[in-house]
Amino acid sequence: MMKPKFKEIAEQGKTLMLKVAIFLIGFTVVGLCAFWLPWIGNVLHEMYPEFGYVKYPLLIGIYITTIPFFVALYSGLKLLSNIDRNEAFSESSVESLKYITICASTITLLYVFGIIILITVNAGNPGILLLGAVITFASIVIAVFAAVLQRLFKSAMALKTENDLTV
């Protein structure tokens, strides 16, 4: 009687760490947006007053990118919940992966657009451009990975459906 409970807890523990990581990432981003970004904006404005005109557009652009970021985090939580319920290969999981792909692609496009604008108006601080490039690259990797997983889940669902019809 004790073994099934332990096994059940162990199974949920696998996704629990990922869920905790998603919440920690979310809270970290909220904290950065609320405290660090305005502070670093002021510091950069004091260090480079000639680029003061891009302070608020840059902050607004970063805040806009947090919308698809949090949608992707929520989709990740939905996917982990499906895995907990042994419904990993379901339409809901495929939909979650689709949203993650769309959100990561949106973040990529927004950052590429922002980098192009910064370079165009001669406000391309190397540190800001490097940070934007890192975020863009990470978003591309996440978008590709989620798209591959989405395709894999669709194939697994098709095989499962075929197998269920055979039996």
Side-chain angles (χ1 to χ4, degrees):
M1 196 71 147
M2 193 66 133
K3 286 185 181 180
K5 278 191 173 186
F6 178 74
K7 186 177 180 182
E8 198 174 293
I9 292 170
E11 287 294 319
Q12 288 181 350
K14 292 177 184 176
T15 59
L16 181 64
M17 279 187 39
L18 292 173
K19 287 179 182 179
V20 168
I22 287 175
F23 277 107
L24 288 175
I25 290 168
F27 286 129
T28 301
V29 169
V30 167
L32 288 173
C33 286
F35 303 109
W36 186 75
L37 278 175
W39 173 78
I40 199 70
N42 289 333
V43 169
L44 288 174
H45 180 65
E46 290 172 9
M47 288 175 61
Y48 305 102
E50 64 273 15
F51 297 122
Y53 62 94
V54 295
K55 176 184 170 186
Y56 291 110
L58 195 61
L59 285 174
I60 290 168
I62 292 171
Y63 290 141
I64 288 172
T65 61
T66 61
I67 295 167
F69 178 79
F70 284 112
V71 171
L73 285 184
Y74 175 73
S75 296
L77 284 174
K78 272 182 55 175
L79 181 62
L80 291 173
S81 294
N82 288 342
I83 291 170
D84 280 344
R85 291 189 310 264
N86 289 326
E87 297 173 3
F89 301 110
S90 65
E91 193 62 40
S92 177
S93 295
V94 171
E95 186 177 311
S96 293
L97 288 167
K98 180 177 111 180
Y99 284 129
I100 291 170
T101 303
I102 291 169
C103 289
S105 300
T106 302
I107 292 169
T108 299
L109 291 174
L110 288 171
Y111 270 90
V112 167
F113 182 67
I115 288 171
I116 290 170
I117 289 175
L118 285 176
I119 291 172
T120 304
V121 297
N122 291 326
N125 180 317
I128 292 172
L129 293 178
L130 180 64
L131 183 61
V134 168
I135 292 171
T136 301
F137 179 73
S139 296
I140 290 170
V141 169
I142 291 168
V144 169
F145 185 69
V148 169
L149 276 178
Q150 180 185 0
R151 187 171 177 189
L152 178 71
F153 277 36
K154 279 184 179 178
S155 296
M157 281 176 39
L159 287 173
K160 182 181 174 197
T161 303
E162 184 179 318
N163 189 30
D164 288 346
L165 292 175
T166 304
V167 172

